[in-house]
Amino acid sequence: MLERQSKCAADPDACFPLLWSLSPNLIDNAPQMMQWYYNVSYNTTHDYFVLPPSGHLYSYPGMMGADDQARYVTATERDCEIMSTSGSVHWEWFGTWSRAIANFIPQYAVNSIVQGLFPVNVPYMLPMAEGGWGHDHYKIIDESVVLFKPKEWRGTSCTPKWNCPTAQGLADEISGYEKGTVTHIYMTSDGGCSYDDVVEMVSLLDEHVELVDQQTLINMALKRG
């Protein structure tokens, strides 16, 4: 975050919108730490926060019982309201996504506080087989929750089959999407992805590619249908 702040200050025109996952546990356990992150975002004006997997806790909500799911939805919605966000990274164990899509995720549509979910399959080496994505980059659940198709970038230091293309390769892929495509890239450092990788990739995107914050992205998907 300090690197991001420094580079945005040095070149504001190159300070593209960027989402960070931030634990809601900081709300009660380390509020001053959370405030520090938000203060940096006020300086750059282009940094935004979403909940980490899977919202209120590191968990697989689709595997919970009905009562626990209801409490979990309420807790995650509270986190989103306090953190002024509408998005969350979402984990499920492989083979359980169909259940989560059918029974858990629609519960977020009731209040439309959690509006965007960025899924990651567990274990991440396995593709998310459920969902029936076809060529779509997202699906809209109950007209108000956008579940984006998994798309991860784990840096450039592992093999491409584990979501590690070069910056040029990823930029070419994104630039080659049909114009009007609404999608996201989930970037994680556990495969070696660095902020320099992100900056390089963004610099290689074609001019027609637009980077936006999470609420604009969600609104784009809902409007496009």
Side-chain angles (χ1 to χ4, degrees):
M1 198 74 175
L2 290 173
E3 181 182 10
R4 165 76 169 173
Q5 180 177 232
S6 175
K7 290 188 176 181
C8 282
D11 188 1
D13 290 338
C15 190
F16 49 86
L18 186 64
L19 311 183
W20 303 80
S21 63
L22 187 65
S23 173
N25 285 308
L26 297 179
I27 295 169
D28 297 316
N29 297 326
Q32 290 178 318
M33 181 180 293
M34 174 168 280
Q35 188 62 60
W36 182 88
Y37 282 101
Y38 274 81
N39 288 343
V40 172
S41 76
Y42 302 150
N43 291 335
T44 67
T45 71
H46 285 86
D47 288 280
Y48 307 88
F49 300 102
V50 296
L51 302 186
S54 293
H56 186 61
L57 297 170
Y58 287 96
S59 61
Y60 309 115
M63 300 176 70
M64 295 177 181
D67 290 344
D68 288 334
Q69 285 184 352
R71 286 190 288 268
Y72 194 86
V73 167
T74 298
T76 299
E77 290 176 337
R78 170 187 175 269
D79 296 336
C80 280
E81 289 183 313
I82 292 173
M83 294 173 62
S84 297
T85 188
S86 56
S88 177
V89 181
H90 192 88
W91 274 347
E92 294 291 350
W93 192 255
F94 77 100
T96 67
W97 280 100
S98 294
R99 187 192 321 166
I101 292 170
N103 300 324
F104 174 72
I105 294 175
Q107 297 181 56
Y108 284 133
V110 175
N111 295 319
S112 295
I113 295 172
V114 180
Q115 296 180 304
L117 296 175
F118 307 96
V120 178
N121 196 43
V122 181
Y124 74 86
M125 296 83 73
L126 300 177
M128 180 178 164
E130 304 108 313
W133 304 99
H135 296 293
D136 297 330
H137 290 265
Y138 60 86
K139 61 172 63 219
I140 297 176
I141 296 176
D142 288 358
E143 301 183 350
S144 62
V145 178
V146 182
L147 178 66
F148 288 91
K149 182 179 181 179
K151 181 61 181 176
E152 302 166 47
W153 190 30
R154 297 180 177 273
T156 60
S157 60
C158 59
T159 57
K161 68 178 181 178
W162 280 8
N163 306 310
C164 293
T166 63
Q168 183 69 66
L170 182 57
D172 288 346
E173 177 184 336
I174 296 169
S175 299
Y177 291 156
E178 179 183 355
K179 290 184 178 180
T181 294
V182 181
T183 189
H184 81 293
I185 305 294
Y186 177 69
M187 297 170 291
T188 173
S189 61
D190 60 7
C193 188
S194 69
Y195 183 63
D196 285 339
D197 290 333
V198 179
V199 171
E200 181 183 4
M201 186 274 291
V202 169
S203 72
L204 296 169
L205 293 169
D206 286 356
E207 290 184 0
H208 71 272
V209 178
E210 181 181 6
L211 304 180
V212 298
D213 62 88
Q214 94 283 346
Q215 190 59 57
T216 301
L217 187 73
I218 291 165
N219 291 343
M220 286 177 167
L222 291 173
K223 183 176 181 180
R224 191 168 187 262

